[in-house]
Amino acid sequence: MTEPVYHIPALLPQTIEALSIDPDGTYVDVTYGGGGHSRAIVEHLSPKGHLYGFDQDMDAVGRAMEDDRFTIVHSNFRYIVNFMRYYKVDTVDGILADLGVSFHHFDDPERGFSFRWDGPLDMRMNRNAKLTAADMVNSYSEERLSDIFYLYGELKNARRISSAIVKSRSIQSIDNIEQLLSIIDPLIDPSRRKKELAKVFQALRIEVNHELEALEEMLRGALHVLKPGGRIAIITYHSLEDRLVKNYFRSGNFEGKENKDFFGRSLSPFRILNSKPIIPDDEEVERNPRSRSAKLRVAVKI
């Protein structure tokens, strides 16, 4: 018996519709997580269809569904080309990425993804990875920490936060969430505490897991794996990853620089299906508050 879904999938009906699933087709869910999207995709497949689900977290792999039409791949999605080659899959009909962090991660204090309770400063999606958030805050230079908080958390007080961390760690190692909060809280406007702390934790998580680099590599790989006419649907949750996806779909590069032919036609390898991102309605947000910031972008490979 498979484990129940432990992540409520965002924009599920819209995503399934966007993929326009061919029952006999081959698909990839590069963010298996709790399996919500994957289960819905498999339900639309015939015995000839197949879905490959990627996840670097053994918790997700251990809970993966058992179905002849499904294969779980224990890997970071940046290696999509390598593993499709390993499984002798030349091209696929569709690719899905839900870049949100699973409820399971936020709700497990031992994983260190949430500031809601104390726990180790870990934040690794792949527990076999070496770098933890504790390693970062105890070893990175003040300048490097400041850059991370500013670039990945878009925090205006990044320098003050990094300075306070460096001063504090010179007295005592910062190993858990309670210690980090005691350093950061005095620097944050109480009326914006949750939003500001979320940005701090987002910045640390992105650096620990090299999320933006992995996303760029996955998008480049998707271009090679996706067949002409195949669809790619990506759900983002913050402006950094959304900008990368939007630019790549629009121009085929991450800077968003459009290249055109002699006749002024775009040379992007994709045709965007939704000029504006699809967002959850009020009913979904009420049912699943963590979907509030979700944006779905869909494109077809030309």
Short mmCIF file of all heavy atoms in Angstrom, two decimals, residues 268-296:
data_model
loop_
_atom_site.label_atom_id
_atom_site.label_comp_id
_atom_site.label_asym_id
_atom_site.label_seq_id
_atom_site.Cartn_x
_atom_site.Cartn_y
_atom_site.Cartn_z
N SER A 268 12.95 32.12 -30.08
CA SER A 268 12.81 31.32 -28.87
C SER A 268 12.39 29.90 -29.24
O SER A 268 11.57 29.70 -30.15
CB SER A 268 11.74 31.92 -27.95
OG SER A 268 11.46 31.04 -26.87
N PRO A 269 12.93 28.89 -28.55
CA PRO A 269 12.54 27.51 -28.84
C PRO A 269 11.18 27.14 -28.28
O PRO A 269 10.71 26.01 -28.47
CB PRO A 269 13.65 26.69 -28.17
CG PRO A 269 14.11 27.55 -27.04
CD PRO A 269 13.99 28.96 -27.54
N PHE A 270 10.52 28.08 -27.61
CA PHE A 270 9.22 27.81 -26.99
C PHE A 270 8.15 28.79 -27.50
O PHE A 270 8.46 29.91 -27.88
CB PHE A 270 9.29 27.95 -25.47
CG PHE A 270 10.17 26.94 -24.79
CD1 PHE A 270 11.43 27.30 -24.33
CD2 PHE A 270 9.75 25.64 -24.61
CE1 PHE A 270 12.24 26.38 -23.70
CE2 PHE A 270 10.55 24.70 -23.98
CZ PHE A 270 11.80 25.09 -23.53
N ARG A 271 6.93 28.31 -27.45
CA ARG A 271 5.76 29.17 -27.65
C ARG A 271 4.99 29.19 -26.34
O ARG A 271 4.55 28.15 -25.85
CB ARG A 271 4.87 28.63 -28.78
CG ARG A 271 3.59 29.44 -28.98
CD ARG A 271 2.88 29.02 -30.26
NE ARG A 271 2.59 27.60 -30.30
CZ ARG A 271 1.50 27.02 -29.79
NH1 ARG A 271 0.58 27.77 -29.18
NH2 ARG A 271 1.31 25.71 -29.89
N ILE A 272 4.86 30.37 -25.78
CA ILE A 272 4.20 30.51 -24.48
C ILE A 272 2.69 30.39 -24.65
O ILE A 272 2.10 31.03 -25.51
CB ILE A 272 4.56 31.86 -23.83
CG1 ILE A 272 6.07 31.91 -23.55
CG2 ILE A 272 3.77 32.08 -22.56
CD1 ILE A 272 6.55 33.26 -23.08
N LEU A 273 2.07 29.57 -23.82
CA LEU A 273 0.62 29.35 -23.91
C LEU A 273 -0.18 30.32 -23.06
O LEU A 273 -1.35 30.56 -23.33
CB LEU A 273 0.28 27.91 -23.51
CG LEU A 273 0.77 26.81 -24.47
CD1 LEU A 273 0.26 25.45 -24.00
CD2 LEU A 273 0.30 27.08 -25.89
N ASN A 274 0.42 30.84 -22.00
CA ASN A 274 -0.30 31.80 -21.16
C ASN A 274 0.57 33.04 -20.97
O ASN A 274 1.62 32.99 -20.33
CB ASN A 274 -0.68 31.20 -19.80
CG ASN A 274 0.51 30.58 -19.08
OD1 ASN A 274 1.44 30.08 -19.69
ND2 ASN A 274 0.47 30.63 -17.76
N SER A 275 0.16 34.15 -21.57
CA SER A 275 0.95 35.38 -21.49
C SER A 275 1.09 35.85 -20.05
O SER A 275 2.12 36.41 -19.66
CB SER A 275 0.32 36.49 -22.34
OG SER A 275 -1.02 36.72 -21.93
N LYS A 276 0.06 35.62 -19.26
CA LYS A 276 0.13 35.91 -17.83
C LYS A 276 0.08 34.58 -17.07
O LYS A 276 -0.61 33.64 -17.48
CB LYS A 276 -1.04 36.79 -17.41
CG LYS A 276 -0.98 38.20 -17.98
CD LYS A 276 -2.11 39.04 -17.42
CE LYS A 276 -2.03 40.48 -17.95
NZ LYS A 276 -3.13 41.32 -17.41
N PRO A 277 0.80 34.48 -15.97
CA PRO A 277 0.79 33.22 -15.22
C PRO A 277 -0.58 32.88 -14.66
O PRO A 277 -1.36 33.78 -14.33
CB PRO A 277 1.81 33.46 -14.09
CG PRO A 277 1.83 34.94 -13.93
CD PRO A 277 1.63 35.51 -15.30
N ILE A 278 -0.88 31.61 -14.58
CA ILE A 278 -2.12 31.14 -13.96
C ILE A 278 -1.92 31.11 -12.45
O ILE A 278 -0.92 30.58 -11.96
CB ILE A 278 -2.48 29.73 -14.48
CG1 ILE A 278 -2.68 29.75 -16.00
CG2 ILE A 278 -3.72 29.20 -13.78
CD1 ILE A 278 -2.73 28.38 -16.63
N ILE A 279 -2.85 31.70 -11.71
CA ILE A 279 -2.74 31.76 -10.25
C ILE A 279 -3.96 31.11 -9.61
O ILE A 279 -5.01 31.00 -10.25
CB ILE A 279 -2.59 33.22 -9.76
CG1 ILE A 279 -3.80 34.05 -10.17
CG2 ILE A 279 -1.30 33.84 -10.31
CD1 ILE A 279 -3.79 35.47 -9.62
N PRO A 280 -3.84 30.68 -8.38
CA PRO A 280 -4.99 30.03 -7.72
C PRO A 280 -6.11 31.01 -7.42
O PRO A 280 -5.85 32.20 -7.19
CB PRO A 280 -4.37 29.46 -6.42
CG PRO A 280 -3.18 30.31 -6.17
CD PRO A 280 -2.65 30.69 -7.52
N ASP A 281 -7.34 30.51 -7.46
CA ASP A 281 -8.46 31.37 -7.11
C ASP A 281 -8.62 31.43 -5.59
O ASP A 281 -7.91 30.74 -4.84
CB ASP A 281 -9.75 30.89 -7.78
CG ASP A 281 -10.11 29.45 -7.43
OD1 ASP A 281 -9.67 28.95 -6.36
OD2 ASP A 281 -10.83 28.81 -8.22
N ASP A 282 -9.54 32.25 -5.14
CA ASP A 282 -9.73 32.46 -3.69
C ASP A 282 -10.09 31.16 -2.98
O ASP A 282 -9.67 30.93 -1.85
CB ASP A 282 -10.82 33.50 -3.44
CG ASP A 282 -10.40 34.89 -3.91
OD1 ASP A 282 -9.19 35.12 -4.07
OD2 ASP A 282 -11.30 35.75 -4.10
N GLU A 283 -10.86 30.32 -3.65
CA GLU A 283 -11.29 29.06 -3.04
C GLU A 283 -10.09 28.16 -2.77
O GLU A 283 -9.99 27.55 -1.69
CB GLU A 283 -12.28 28.35 -3.96
CG GLU A 283 -12.85 27.07 -3.37
CD GLU A 283 -13.83 26.38 -4.31
OE1 GLU A 283 -14.36 27.06 -5.21
OE2 GLU A 283 -14.07 25.18 -4.12
N GLU A 284 -9.17 28.08 -3.73
CA GLU A 284 -7.99 27.24 -3.52
C GLU A 284 -7.10 27.80 -2.43
O GLU A 284 -6.58 27.05 -1.60
CB GLU A 284 -7.17 27.08 -4.81
CG GLU A 284 -5.89 26.29 -4.57
CD GLU A 284 -5.15 25.89 -5.83
OE1 GLU A 284 -5.66 26.13 -6.93
OE2 GLU A 284 -4.05 25.33 -5.71
N VAL A 285 -6.92 29.11 -2.41
CA VAL A 285 -6.07 29.73 -1.39
C VAL A 285 -6.64 29.48 0.00
O VAL A 285 -5.90 29.22 0.95
CB VAL A 285 -5.92 31.24 -1.65
CG1 VAL A 285 -5.23 31.92 -0.47
CG2 VAL A 285 -5.13 31.48 -2.93
N GLU A 286 -7.97 29.53 0.11
CA GLU A 286 -8.60 29.27 1.41
C GLU A 286 -8.40 27.82 1.83
O GLU A 286 -8.15 27.53 3.00
CB GLU A 286 -10.11 29.59 1.32
CG GLU A 286 -10.83 29.43 2.65
CD GLU A 286 -12.29 29.84 2.57
OE1 GLU A 286 -12.70 30.37 1.52
OE2 GLU A 286 -13.01 29.60 3.56
N ARG A 287 -8.45 26.93 0.85
CA ARG A 287 -8.28 25.51 1.13
C ARG A 287 -6.81 25.15 1.36
O ARG A 287 -6.48 24.26 2.15
CB ARG A 287 -8.84 24.71 -0.05
CG ARG A 287 -8.87 23.20 0.16
CD ARG A 287 -9.56 22.49 -0.99
NE ARG A 287 -8.81 22.63 -2.24
CZ ARG A 287 -9.19 23.37 -3.26
NH1 ARG A 287 -10.31 24.08 -3.20
NH2 ARG A 287 -8.47 23.45 -4.38
N ASN A 288 -5.94 25.83 0.66
CA ASN A 288 -4.50 25.52 0.69
C ASN A 288 -3.73 26.85 0.72
O ASN A 288 -3.25 27.31 -0.31
CB ASN A 288 -4.12 24.70 -0.55
CG ASN A 288 -2.65 24.36 -0.59
OD1 ASN A 288 -1.93 24.50 0.40
ND2 ASN A 288 -2.19 23.91 -1.74
N PRO A 289 -3.58 27.47 1.90
CA PRO A 289 -2.96 28.80 2.00
C PRO A 289 -1.56 28.88 1.39
O PRO A 289 -1.16 29.93 0.90
CB PRO A 289 -2.90 29.05 3.52
CG PRO A 289 -4.00 28.20 4.08
CD PRO A 289 -4.03 26.97 3.22
N ARG A 290 -0.83 27.78 1.37
CA ARG A 290 0.53 27.82 0.84
C ARG A 290 0.57 27.93 -0.68
O ARG A 290 1.62 28.11 -1.27
CB ARG A 290 1.30 26.58 1.30
CG ARG A 290 1.72 26.66 2.77
CD ARG A 290 2.37 25.39 3.25
NE ARG A 290 2.81 25.52 4.63
CZ ARG A 290 3.10 24.51 5.42
NH1 ARG A 290 3.01 23.28 4.95
NH2 ARG A 290 3.51 24.69 6.65
N SER A 291 -0.60 27.84 -1.30
CA SER A 291 -0.64 28.02 -2.76
C SER A 291 -0.79 29.49 -3.14
O SER A 291 -0.79 29.83 -4.32
CB SER A 291 -1.82 27.22 -3.36
OG SER A 291 -3.05 27.83 -3.01
N ARG A 292 -0.89 30.35 -2.14
CA ARG A 292 -1.18 31.77 -2.37
C ARG A 292 -0.23 32.40 -3.39
O ARG A 292 -0.62 33.20 -4.23
CB ARG A 292 -1.10 32.54 -1.05
CG ARG A 292 -1.48 34.01 -1.14
CD ARG A 292 -1.28 34.71 0.20
NE ARG A 292 -2.01 34.02 1.26
CZ ARG A 292 -3.30 34.20 1.53
NH1 ARG A 292 -4.00 35.06 0.80
NH2 ARG A 292 -3.88 33.54 2.51
N SER A 293 1.05 32.06 -3.30
CA SER A 293 2.04 32.71 -4.17
C SER A 293 2.36 31.88 -5.42
O SER A 293 3.26 32.24 -6.19
CB SER A 293 3.34 32.95 -3.39
OG SER A 293 3.84 31.75 -2.86
N ALA A 294 1.61 30.81 -5.65
CA ALA A 294 1.90 29.93 -6.80
C ALA A 294 1.57 30.59 -8.13
O ALA A 294 0.55 31.27 -8.27
CB ALA A 294 1.11 28.63 -6.66
N LYS A 295 2.46 30.40 -9.10
CA LYS A 295 2.24 30.88 -10.47
C LYS A 295 2.58 29.77 -11.43
O LYS A 295 3.67 29.20 -11.37
CB LYS A 295 3.12 32.10 -10.77
CG LYS A 295 2.79 33.34 -9.97
CD LYS A 295 3.73 34.48 -10.36
CE LYS A 295 3.40 35.76 -9.59
NZ LYS A 295 4.32 36.86 -9.96
N LEU A 296 1.65 29.46 -12.32
CA LEU A 296 1.86 28.42 -13.30
C LEU A 296 2.14 29.03 -14.67
O LEU A 296 1.35 29.81 -15.19
CB LEU A 296 0.62 27.51 -13.39
CG LEU A 296 0.58 26.47 -14.52
CD1 LEU A 296 1.70 25.45 -14.38
CD2 LEU A 296 -0.78 25.77 -14.54
#
